[in-house]
Amino acid sequence: MDKTTLQALQITKEIVVKFVETGRISPGNFAEHFGPIYREVLRTIGGQAPAVTADDTAEPDGETP
């Protein structure tokens, strides 16, 4: 593994551990969260712009204009 991949894995592990500690992720749904978090961390480390999702285009209060 290259340095960037190892860095992304370590950062993702730390993020997921914090989410588990705070109850936002449970051991039962760990697998569905680790991959997306890892990909976002890897994209961020690589300097690429984050993918825009439907949630990003919504108004802050959840209502559309």
Side-chain angles (χ1 to χ4, degrees), residues 8-25:
L9 284 171
Q10 180 64 32
I11 293 168
T12 303
K13 182 191 90 169
E14 292 174 19
I15 291 170
V16 170
V17 165
K18 288 295 181 189
F19 283 158
V20 169
E21 289 174 350
T22 60
R24 295 173 75 73
I25 294 176

Side-chain angles (χ1 to χ4, degrees), residues 11-59:
I11 293 168
T12 303
K13 182 191 90 169
E14 292 174 19
I15 291 170
V16 170
V17 165
K18 288 295 181 189
F19 283 158
V20 169
E21 289 174 350
T22 60
R24 295 173 75 73
I25 294 176
S26 71
N29 65 8
F30 169 85
E32 58 184 89
H33 293 287
F34 190 88
I37 293 170
Y38 171 74
R39 285 188 294 276
E40 189 62 32
V41 168
L42 193 58
R43 183 180 11 251
T44 301
I45 290 173
Q48 297 177 357
V52 175
T53 64
D55 293 337
D56 294 337
T57 59
E59 290 294 313

